[in-house]
mmCIF file of all heavy atoms in Angstrom:
data_model
loop_
_atom_site.group_PDB
_atom_site.id
_atom_site.type_symbol
_atom_site.label_atom_id
_atom_site.label_comp_id
_atom_site.label_asym_id
_atom_site.label_seq_id
_atom_site.Cartn_x
_atom_site.Cartn_y
_atom_site.Cartn_z
ATOM 1 N N ALA E 1 -1.398 -3.552 -7.836
ATOM 2 C CA ALA E 1 -2.122 -2.270 -7.984
ATOM 3 C C ALA E 1 -1.652 -1.496 -9.287
ATOM 4 O O ALA E 1 -0.504 -1.890 -9.698
ATOM 5 C CB ALA E 1 -1.968 -1.455 -6.698
ATOM 6 N N SER E 2 -2.395 -0.562 -9.577
ATOM 7 C CA SER E 2 -1.931 0.194 -10.755
ATOM 8 C C SER E 2 -0.816 1.219 -10.387
ATOM 9 O O SER E 2 -0.550 1.443 -9.283
ATOM 10 C CB SER E 2 -3.169 1.059 -11.315
ATOM 11 O OG SER E 2 -3.458 2.142 -10.297
ATOM 12 N N PHE E 3 -0.226 1.808 -11.411
ATOM 13 C CA PHE E 3 0.948 2.747 -11.183
ATOM 14 C C PHE E 3 0.394 3.958 -10.319
ATOM 15 O O PHE E 3 1.131 4.586 -9.620
ATOM 16 C CB PHE E 3 1.509 3.183 -12.452
ATOM 17 C CG PHE E 3 0.694 4.136 -13.277
ATOM 18 C CD1 PHE E 3 0.913 5.540 -13.169
ATOM 19 C CD2 PHE E 3 -0.273 3.648 -14.127
ATOM 20 C CE1 PHE E 3 0.231 6.485 -13.864
ATOM 21 C CE2 PHE E 3 -0.970 4.542 -14.937
ATOM 22 C CZ PHE E 3 -0.808 5.906 -14.745
ATOM 23 N N LYS E 4 -0.843 4.258 -10.560
ATOM 24 C CA LYS E 4 -1.458 5.303 -9.676
ATOM 25 C C LYS E 4 -1.378 5.097 -8.237
ATOM 26 O O LYS E 4 -1.075 5.920 -7.389
ATOM 27 C CB LYS E 4 -2.931 5.708 -10.139
ATOM 28 C CG LYS E 4 -2.993 6.181 -11.603
ATOM 29 C CD LYS E 4 -4.469 6.393 -11.913
ATOM 30 C CE LYS E 4 -4.663 6.948 -13.350
ATOM 31 N NZ LYS E 4 -6.063 7.166 -13.724
ATOM 32 N N ILE E 5 -1.749 3.844 -7.870
ATOM 33 C CA ILE E 5 -1.751 3.393 -6.506
ATOM 34 C C ILE E 5 -0.251 3.382 -5.995
ATOM 35 O O ILE E 5 0.003 3.859 -4.894
ATOM 36 C CB ILE E 5 -2.422 2.102 -6.210
ATOM 37 C CG1 ILE E 5 -3.954 2.163 -6.683
ATOM 38 C CG2 ILE E 5 -2.260 1.552 -4.836
ATOM 39 C CD1 ILE E 5 -4.727 3.182 -5.760
ATOM 40 N N TRP E 6 0.611 2.786 -6.824
ATOM 41 C CA TRP E 6 1.943 2.667 -6.448
ATOM 42 C C TRP E 6 2.619 3.992 -6.079
ATOM 43 O O TRP E 6 3.428 4.161 -5.256
ATOM 44 C CB TRP E 6 2.779 2.018 -7.652
ATOM 45 C CG TRP E 6 2.939 0.557 -7.533
ATOM 46 C CD1 TRP E 6 1.973 -0.326 -7.122
ATOM 47 C CD2 TRP E 6 4.001 -0.202 -7.730
ATOM 48 N NE1 TRP E 6 2.320 -1.677 -7.241
ATOM 49 C CE2 TRP E 6 3.683 -1.587 -7.563
ATOM 50 C CE3 TRP E 6 5.419 0.032 -8.167
ATOM 51 C CZ2 TRP E 6 4.562 -2.631 -7.722
ATOM 52 C CZ3 TRP E 6 6.205 -1.017 -8.270
ATOM 53 C CH2 TRP E 6 5.876 -2.381 -8.136
ATOM 54 N N ASN E 7 2.144 5.060 -6.774
ATOM 55 C CA ASN E 7 2.804 6.354 -6.688
ATOM 56 C C ASN E 7 2.083 7.228 -5.590
ATOM 57 O O ASN E 7 2.481 8.370 -5.331
ATOM 58 C CB ASN E 7 2.725 7.124 -8.076
ATOM 59 C CG ASN E 7 3.897 6.666 -8.950
ATOM 60 O OD1 ASN E 7 5.051 7.052 -8.755
ATOM 61 N ND2 ASN E 7 3.543 5.818 -9.823
ATOM 62 N N THR E 8 0.996 6.714 -4.992
ATOM 63 C CA THR E 8 0.345 7.319 -4.009
ATOM 64 C C THR E 8 0.276 6.626 -2.610
ATOM 65 O O THR E 8 0.542 7.227 -1.553
ATOM 66 C CB THR E 8 -1.162 7.590 -4.431
ATOM 67 O OG1 THR E 8 -1.162 8.201 -5.714
ATOM 68 C CG2 THR E 8 -1.841 8.458 -3.413
ATOM 69 N N ALA E 9 0.056 5.303 -2.656
ATOM 70 C CA ALA E 9 0.003 4.507 -1.378
ATOM 71 C C ALA E 9 1.367 4.513 -0.672
ATOM 72 O O ALA E 9 2.422 4.454 -1.361
ATOM 73 C CB ALA E 9 -0.388 3.082 -1.787
ATOM 74 N N THR E 10 1.343 4.540 0.574
ATOM 75 C CA THR E 10 2.558 4.650 1.470
ATOM 76 C C THR E 10 2.778 3.377 2.270
ATOM 77 O O THR E 10 1.837 2.564 2.502
ATOM 78 C CB THR E 10 2.392 5.909 2.347
ATOM 79 O OG1 THR E 10 1.344 5.572 3.218
ATOM 80 C CG2 THR E 10 2.259 7.196 1.523
ATOM 81 N N VAL E 11 4.057 3.253 2.536
ATOM 82 C CA VAL E 11 4.482 2.102 3.425
ATOM 83 C C VAL E 11 3.839 2.196 4.730
ATOM 84 O O VAL E 11 3.191 1.163 5.286
ATOM 85 C CB VAL E 11 5.983 2.145 3.518
ATOM 86 C CG1 VAL E 11 6.363 1.039 4.631
ATOM 87 C CG2 VAL E 11 6.687 1.903 2.257
ATOM 88 N N GLY E 12 3.775 3.359 5.364
ATOM 89 C CA GLY E 12 3.162 3.546 6.664
ATOM 90 C C GLY E 12 1.663 3.307 6.570
ATOM 91 O O GLY E 12 1.021 2.785 7.508
ATOM 92 N N GLY E 13 1.049 3.753 5.550
ATOM 93 C CA GLY E 13 -0.433 3.633 5.428
ATOM 94 C C GLY E 13 -0.854 2.175 5.294
ATOM 95 O O GLY E 13 -1.751 1.761 5.906
ATOM 96 N N ASN E 14 -0.064 1.373 4.591
ATOM 97 C CA ASN E 14 -0.335 -0.017 4.517
ATOM 98 C C ASN E 14 -0.203 -0.737 5.781
ATOM 99 O O ASN E 14 -0.992 -1.645 6.132
ATOM 100 C CB ASN E 14 0.640 -0.634 3.412
ATOM 101 C CG ASN E 14 0.252 -2.095 3.134
ATOM 102 O OD1 ASN E 14 1.024 -3.067 3.453
ATOM 103 N ND2 ASN E 14 -0.845 -2.304 2.356
ATOM 104 N N ILE E 15 0.821 -0.376 6.529
ATOM 105 C CA ILE E 15 1.057 -1.047 7.799
ATOM 106 C C ILE E 15 -0.045 -0.571 8.812
ATOM 107 O O ILE E 15 -0.640 -1.424 9.617
ATOM 108 C CB ILE E 15 2.429 -0.655 8.433
ATOM 109 C CG1 ILE E 15 3.499 -1.307 7.542
ATOM 110 C CG2 ILE E 15 2.643 -1.074 9.849
ATOM 111 C CD1 ILE E 15 4.930 -1.039 7.836
ATOM 112 N N CYS E 16 -0.408 0.753 8.847
ATOM 113 C CA CYS E 16 -1.410 1.223 9.813
ATOM 114 C C CYS E 16 -2.804 0.688 9.500
ATOM 115 O O CYS E 16 -3.597 0.661 10.380
ATOM 116 C CB CYS E 16 -1.412 2.725 9.844
ATOM 117 S SG CYS E 16 0.083 3.355 10.687
ATOM 118 N N MET E 17 -3.135 0.425 8.211
ATOM 119 C CA MET E 17 -4.403 -0.221 7.845
ATOM 120 C C MET E 17 -4.521 -1.522 8.513
ATOM 121 O O MET E 17 -5.531 -1.958 8.854
ATOM 122 C CB MET E 17 -4.543 -0.284 6.303
ATOM 123 C CG MET E 17 -5.128 0.936 5.620
ATOM 124 S SD MET E 17 -6.774 1.295 6.213
ATOM 125 C CE MET E 17 -7.754 -0.036 5.651
ATOM 126 N N SER E 18 -3.418 -2.253 8.665
ATOM 127 C CA SER E 18 -3.342 -3.541 9.314
ATOM 128 C C SER E 18 -4.240 -4.582 8.771
ATOM 129 O O SER E 18 -4.851 -5.407 9.497
ATOM 130 C CB SER E 18 -3.596 -3.324 10.814
ATOM 131 O OG SER E 18 -2.717 -2.371 11.512
ATOM 132 N N LEU E 19 -4.328 -4.603 7.423
ATOM 133 C CA LEU E 19 -5.062 -5.728 6.822
ATOM 134 C C LEU E 19 -4.182 -6.908 6.751
ATOM 135 O O LEU E 19 -2.987 -6.740 6.562
ATOM 136 C CB LEU E 19 -5.471 -5.247 5.363
ATOM 137 C CG LEU E 19 -6.531 -4.174 5.313
ATOM 138 C CD1 LEU E 19 -6.559 -3.715 3.775
ATOM 139 C CD2 LEU E 19 -7.853 -4.568 5.662
ATOM 140 N N PRO E 20 -4.784 -8.066 6.970
ATOM 141 C CA PRO E 20 -3.958 -9.340 6.863
ATOM 142 C C PRO E 20 -3.086 -9.325 5.632
ATOM 143 O O PRO E 20 -1.945 -9.940 5.680
ATOM 144 C CB PRO E 20 -4.931 -10.468 6.994
ATOM 145 C CG PRO E 20 -6.074 -9.914 7.767
ATOM 146 C CD PRO E 20 -6.128 -8.457 7.320
ATOM 147 N N ALA E 21 -3.624 -8.873 4.519
ATOM 148 C CA ALA E 21 -2.908 -8.986 3.284
ATOM 149 C C ALA E 21 -1.908 -7.900 3.009
ATOM 150 O O ALA E 21 -1.335 -7.842 1.900
ATOM 151 C CB ALA E 21 -3.889 -9.022 2.116
ATOM 152 N N GLY E 22 -1.684 -6.950 3.898
ATOM 153 C CA GLY E 22 -0.821 -5.861 3.755
ATOM 154 C C GLY E 22 0.671 -6.305 3.377
ATOM 155 O O GLY E 22 1.283 -6.848 4.357
ATOM 156 N N PRO E 23 1.153 -6.147 2.245
ATOM 157 C CA PRO E 23 2.557 -6.712 1.889
ATOM 158 C C PRO E 23 3.669 -5.913 2.598
ATOM 159 O O PRO E 23 4.732 -6.534 2.831
ATOM 160 C CB PRO E 23 2.567 -6.630 0.501
ATOM 161 C CG PRO E 23 1.632 -5.542 0.053
ATOM 162 C CD PRO E 23 0.546 -5.546 1.164
ATOM 163 N N MET E 24 3.401 -4.649 3.051
ATOM 164 C CA MET E 24 4.465 -3.978 3.728
ATOM 165 C C MET E 24 4.623 -4.529 5.173
ATOM 166 O O MET E 24 5.703 -4.508 5.774
ATOM 167 C CB MET E 24 4.192 -2.475 3.743
ATOM 168 C CG MET E 24 4.168 -1.791 2.410
ATOM 169 S SD MET E 24 5.754 -1.932 1.504
ATOM 170 C CE MET E 24 5.560 -3.313 0.455
ATOM 171 N N ILE E 25 3.479 -5.057 5.641
ATOM 172 C CA ILE E 25 3.520 -5.738 6.929
ATOM 173 C C ILE E 25 4.256 -7.015 6.850
ATOM 174 O O ILE E 25 5.107 -7.402 7.681
ATOM 175 C CB ILE E 25 2.106 -6.095 7.412
ATOM 176 C CG1 ILE E 25 1.252 -4.771 7.619
ATOM 177 C CG2 ILE E 25 2.114 -6.964 8.710
ATOM 178 C CD1 ILE E 25 -0.243 -4.998 7.884
#
């Protein structure tokens, strides 16, 4: 992802989205 996403997207959000490709998962 871009630096904009890196500075906005959260660890918890990635896990709670529960997409198979979620790298925080």
Side-chain angles (χ1 to χ4, degrees):
S2 70
F3 74 92
K4 294 180 180 179
I5 298 297
W6 269 42
N7 282 280
T8 306
T10 61
V11 174
N14 187 252
I15 292 173
C16 290
M17 273 298 295
S18 302
L19 293 171
M24 298 296 96
I25 299 169

